[in-house]
Amino acid sequence: MADQAHPSPVSPGQMSSGGRSKGAAVTISGVTKTFRNRSRSTQALTSVDLTIDRGEFVTLLGPSGCGKSTLLHIVGGLITPDAGVVTIDGSTPHAARSKKQFGLIPQAPALVPWRTVHENILFLSTLNKRAGQTALPPTQIDELIEAVGLTDFCHAYPHELSGGMQQRVALVRGFALGAPVLLMDEPFAALDEITRASARYLLLDLWSRTGATVIFVTHSIPEAVILSDRVVVMAARPGRVAAVEDITLPRPRTPEMEDETVFLDHLRRLRNDLRDHHT
Ligand code: ADP
């Protein structure tokens, strides 16, 4: 499993197989979080350690309630941990957030209804640019729009699009920011299985064009395998890292790979990991 090219693992078994060894983009060290309210407290995360390389695609996989979203939000500077340290290119999550180093792609596409597809995609990038932050150049954004088959819909409004098309707009909008780190919280959860299966490959295409670091949350094992360099299996009560699996499928990934033994072996191992740590 070990890959000599990876310089700074925080904990064992966290090496990527994607050859994306340009140093750590995100480090998570000893992160612990308990939510407290009047009647009870929930230990959402305990002692989570993880190092994510630049350009790596890492998926957090686990059942509901194992702390995937909490961890994603801690990395994104939206939740403060009780203990532990997170760095994004050496900055705190809060500083990275104010430098617009994140793009967040949520479950629901959250498009602005009175703006066209093109305006929705450009809106946040334009704001970022005005603030002196990164955004992809317009020609590259047009290439992304074309890559997901939306060129003919640039002047359509969100209500004229299917759910799958709206989610494609949200994907392009996320990548168009040019942010080095993209946080994706089950972005395909609302899609039907067939649309969802093809959306995975569109996402991989966009990712390969931009080289962003991606932290992706899902509870779908096949989705985790086909997308990722590494899958981090999380377990609940308390939320923690239970196992880490390097995905050895070559890139670019293709639908045909889903019938291959390597894919099926990963599937089986991850299913066992999830079962072993299910409480
Ligand atoms: P996942 O994304 O894996 O479904 P979450 O990170 O959303 O899990 O939640 C982890 C645990 O923390 C769950 O038990 C959840 O109920 C609890 N939790 C999450 N957010 C809050 C909150 N704001 N207040 C109280 N409990 C929370």
Side-chain angles (χ1 to χ4, degrees):
M1 291 258 278
D3 172 347
Q4 299 305 318
H6 289 264
S8 56
V10 164
S11 66
Q14 295 175 357
M15 314 299 183
S16 121
S17 54
R20 301 172 181 279
S21 50
K22 291 173 272 173
V26 178
T27 68
I28 300 166
S29 184
V31 162
T32 296
K33 176 73 189 177
T34 299
F35 290 104
R36 290 186 177 82
N37 60 30
R38 263 165 289 144
S39 54
R40 64 192 182 118
S41 65
T42 307
Q43 192 165 12
L45 293 171
T46 184
S47 297
V48 173
D49 293 329
L50 195 64
T51 297
I52 299 171
D53 288 334
R54 288 205 187 92
E56 196 179 5
F57 198 122
V58 168
T59 292
L60 308 178
L61 173 74
S64 284
C66 69
K68 305 182 295 295
S69 297
T70 303
L71 185 57
L72 200 72
H73 288 146
I74 286 174
V75 171
L78 300 166
I79 294 178
T80 306
D82 298 331
V85 176
V86 175
T87 65
I88 289 92
D89 265 334
S91 301
T92 63
H94 186 73
R97 202 167 148 232
S98 45
K99 286 189 272 178
K100 306 273 192 280
Q101 282 188 293
F102 299 115
L104 181 64
I105 299 181
Q107 272 189 24
L111 304 180
V112 182
W114 57 87
R115 291 186 190 272
T116 64
V117 164
H118 204 244
E119 288 165 350
N120 263 286
I121 289 169
L122 291 186
F123 182 55
L124 292 178
S125 334
T126 310
L127 286 184
N128 271 11
K129 249 196 214 152
R130 276 199 209 127
Q133 308 294 346
T134 57
L136 293 189
T139 49
Q140 205 179 343
I141 294 176
D142 287 344
E143 280 169 26
L144 299 186
I145 293 172
E146 193 173 350
V148 299
L150 284 172
T151 305
D152 291 343
F153 293 88
C154 273
H155 301 294
Y157 287 87
H159 75 271
E160 299 175 90
L161 307 179
S162 68
M165 290 164 88
Q166 290 187 24
Q167 195 50 278
R168 280 187 260 158
V169 178
L171 282 181
V172 173
R173 181 183 55 187
F175 280 98
L177 293 172
V181 179
L182 287 175
L183 307 176
M184 305 195 185
D185 196 357
E186 302 209 50
F188 305 140
L191 304 182
D192 65 80
E193 191 46 46
I194 294 172
T195 309
R196 182 171 180 154
S198 63
R200 292 167 187 161
Y201 293 95
L202 292 175
L203 165 58
L204 285 176
D205 185 21
L206 297 180
W207 172 66
S208 70
R209 289 163 188 264
T210 57
T213 305
V214 175
I215 309 180
F216 186 94
V217 164
T218 187
H219 54 253
S220 161
I221 305 176
E223 186 160 284
V225 174
I226 208 63
L227 291 174
S228 313
D229 293 317
R230 236 173 352 143
V231 178
V232 177
V233 178
M234 295 184 65
R237 283 177 290 277
R240 62 199 185 277
V241 174
V244 180
E245 172 101 351
D246 284 348
I247 305 301
T248 55
L249 289 166
R251 294 196 184 272
R253 306 271 162 90
T254 62
E256 292 69 35
M257 286 180 186
E258 296 182 34
D259 297 321
E260 289 178 8
T261 314
V262 181
F263 178 86
L264 299 171
D265 284 347
H266 281 307
L267 226 54
R268 188 173 339 105
R269 272 200 297 276
L270 288 167
R271 202 180 298 131
N272 289 341
D273 283 338
L274 285 169
R275 202 178 293 138
D276 289 348
H277 296 280
H278 192 67
T279 52

